[in-house]
């Protein structure tokens, strides 16, 4: 059975930097990315701003995705982009600045397209808007947008320099409305792609220079599109010109032949440690009829298991990876390992997993 393609919703206010973040993901040349661009007007202006190496794209114009009179239009697009022939690693839906992320997330979660799965809501916050906002006025973002986000990207973070009151107000809003949501603070939409999706290993044709490689080579010689002359770091590295690692993320892995306690595993996944954005992997439960492979995917407030047979020649075991920002890696690993067990699982403990299994 092919893996389901994650659908990541990219949300944020007008001018917050959604397209800049998307362009950054494309320019990095990591994985195969499909893009759905939504413009509120009849002309898909944003589609022309998306640069880089797009492996598949679709545009919906004339209204917000969350207001579509026929939601099957989005399903049809997602089904076409998730086709095995395209071999995509992720589908990014860039919503219009007027869209409601909660409604869009509901549409993706309720989609009848079996080849996709929910990949989370990335809410882009415009730090410049916070710097310019009236301290006594309303917040520059709807609190529901903070609450539904799987990860918060505070973009244009440099614009908060010299604005301690605005910084305090932003931090307090996040602490109040999204206390457990991972936060990435960055400029120019730089975010580590591995935080959002996994890129499959593929053979690269010898001697070919991809468009993404060309962009990076050009940026190295002449400076990037913003004229700052820096190269984007990756993984745990940092930008030598800026001296910070806003885009970096870390991962914690657990690999064991043991199975897990379903009740404890679900509890850990539903109450993830601070900074953990997503958890992925597979496990098994020592109970009759449940020693098959359970593939687990968790992101934001969404969690699901999928039953699959163990591939031929595979040794039964548990392999789980947690990905996030500013995690306490040792604590996260200890929490995941606490779910391992060599004890038979009581039948009534399986209910927690069965209700989440697709």
């Amino acid at each position: 059975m092919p893996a389901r393609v994650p659908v990541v919703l990219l949300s944020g206010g007008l001018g917050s930097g959604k397209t800049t973040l998307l362009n950054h993901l494309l320019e990095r040349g990591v994985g195969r990315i499909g893009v759905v661009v939504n413009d509120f007007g009849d002309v898909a202006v944003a589609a022309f701003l998306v640069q880089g190496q797009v492996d598949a794209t679709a545009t919906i114009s004339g209204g917000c995705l969350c207001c579509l009179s026929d939601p099957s239009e989005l399903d049809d697009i997602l089904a076409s982009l998730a086709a095995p022939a395209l071999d995509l690693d992720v589908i990014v839906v860039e919503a219009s600045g007027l869209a409601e992320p909660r409604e869009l997330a509901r549409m993706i979660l309720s989609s009848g397209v079996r080849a996709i799965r929910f990949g989370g809501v990335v809410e882009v916050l415009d730090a410049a808007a916070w710097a310019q906002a009236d301290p006594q006025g309303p917040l520059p973002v709807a609190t529901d947008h903070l609450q539904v986000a799987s990860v918060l990207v505070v973009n244009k973070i440099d614009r908060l320099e010299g604005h301690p009151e605005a910084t305090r107000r932003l931090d307090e809003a996040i602490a109040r409305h999204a206390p457990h949501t991972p936060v990435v603070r960055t400029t120019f939409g730089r975010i580590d792609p591995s935080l959002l999706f996994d890129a499959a290993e593929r053979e690269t044709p010898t001697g070919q220079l991809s468009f993404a490689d060309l962009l990076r080579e050009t940026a190295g010689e002449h400076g990037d599109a913003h004229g700052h002359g820096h190269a984007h770091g990756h993984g745990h590295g940092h930008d030598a010109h800026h001296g910070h690692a806003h885009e970096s993320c870390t991962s914690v892995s657990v690999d064991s032949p043991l199975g897990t306690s379903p009740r404890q595993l679900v509890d850990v996944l539903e109450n993830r440690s601070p900074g953990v954005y997503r958890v992925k992997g597979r496990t098994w439960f020592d109970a009759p009829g449940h020693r098959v492979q359970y593939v687990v995917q968790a992101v934001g407030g969404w969690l699901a298991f999928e039953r699959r047979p163990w591939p031929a020649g595979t040794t039964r075991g548990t392999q789980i990876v947690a990905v996030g920002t500013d995690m306490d890696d040792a604590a996260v690993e200890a929490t995941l390992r606490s779910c391992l067990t060599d004890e038979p699982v009581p039948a009534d403990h399986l209910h927690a997993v069965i209700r989440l299994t697709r």
Side-chain angles (χ1 to χ4, degrees):
M1 296 175 61
R4 293 177 175 176
V5 182
V7 178
V8 174
L9 174 60
L10 185 55
S11 175
L14 295 167
S16 60
K18 299 186 299 297
T19 302
T20 301
L21 188 154
L22 177 55
N23 282 333
H24 169 69
L25 294 178
L26 297 170
E27 290 169 4
R28 290 289 293 268
V30 177
R32 293 180 56 82
I33 302 176
V35 175
V36 179
V37 177
N38 177 214
D39 255 86
F40 185 73
D42 291 326
V43 179
V45 177
F48 296 103
L49 301 176
V50 176
Q51 309 163 9
Q53 191 173 8
V54 185
D55 295 285
T57 185
T59 303
I60 297 178
S61 299
C64 283
L65 277 172
C66 55
C67 301
L68 288 177
S69 58
D70 183 7
S72 66
E73 182 179 357
L74 178 60
D75 273 0
D76 291 343
I77 288 175
L78 294 177
S80 65
L81 292 179
L86 291 179
D87 190 29
L88 296 182
D89 294 308
V90 67
I91 299 170
V92 179
V93 178
E94 183 189 356
S96 78
L98 302 177
E100 289 297 328
R102 185 177 296 276
E103 180 60 21
L104 288 176
R106 185 197 64 77
M107 292 172 66
I108 296 171
L109 282 165
S110 62
S111 172
V113 181
R114 292 285 297 171
I116 67 164
R117 63 175 176 82
F118 184 57
V121 177
V122 179
E123 177 71 19
V124 182
L125 302 180
D126 186 352
W130 288 80
Q132 297 165 4
D134 179 357
Q136 305 304 318
L139 296 178
V141 63
T143 56
D144 187 64
H145 291 203
L146 296 174
Q147 292 165 352
V148 76
S150 308
V151 63
L152 293 169
V153 177
V154 183
N155 196 32
K156 310 178 192 176
I157 192 67
D158 54 318
R159 300 291 292 275
L160 282 175
E161 294 178 4
H163 296 275
E165 180 59 26
T167 301
R168 181 193 62 78
R169 194 180 186 209
L170 170 61
D171 291 342
E172 286 183 352
I174 293 175
R176 180 177 181 181
H177 300 289
H180 304 297
T181 303
V183 179
V184 179
R185 303 174 192 271
T186 189
T187 56
F188 304 113
R190 293 194 300 269
I191 183 171
D192 192 333
S194 63
L195 181 66
L196 305 182
F197 67 94
D198 301 314
E201 294 185 4
R202 300 180 179 88
E203 292 186 6
T204 303
T206 304
Q208 288 193 10
L209 185 67
S210 71
F211 183 53
D213 292 330
L214 181 60
L215 283 172
R216 283 194 295 272
E217 186 177 90
T218 303
E221 294 176 357
H222 306 293
D224 69 0
H226 305 286
H228 288 262
H230 64 263
H232 300 306
H234 179 62
H236 307 286
H238 62 276
D239 187 307
H241 291 268
H242 291 272
H244 50 67
H246 292 311
E247 63 169 324
S248 66
C249 67
T250 58
S251 63
V252 173
S253 303
V254 169
D255 189 345
S256 171
L258 298 176
T260 53
S261 162
R263 180 178 290 179
Q264 189 163 350
L265 179 60
V266 169
D267 182 64
V268 166
L269 294 177
E270 289 185 332
N271 300 280
R272 292 190 286 280
S273 302
V276 177
Y277 169 62
R278 63 189 178 104
V279 180
K280 57 186 179 177
R282 60 184 181 179
T283 188
W284 64 284
F285 308 113
D286 191 3
H290 295 275
R291 296 185 180 95
V292 295
Q293 176 186 196
Y294 280 83
V295 177
V296 59
Q297 296 282 355
V299 60
W302 177 84
L303 167 62
F305 290 86
E306 185 175 354
R307 282 175 62 107
R308 293 187 180 188
W310 288 100
T314 301
T315 302
R316 193 165 52 199
T318 297
Q319 294 88 36
I320 296 180
V321 179
V323 181
T325 61
D326 298 322
M327 300 187 302
D328 183 336
D329 292 0
V332 171
E333 180 178 354
T335 301
L336 291 175
R337 288 193 177 279
S338 70
C339 301
L340 298 172
T341 181
D342 57 0
E343 298 290 332
V345 174
D348 61 333
H349 286 201
L350 290 162
H351 296 323
V353 165
I354 292 173
R355 68 181 173 86
L356 296 167
T357 299
R358 294 187 172 191

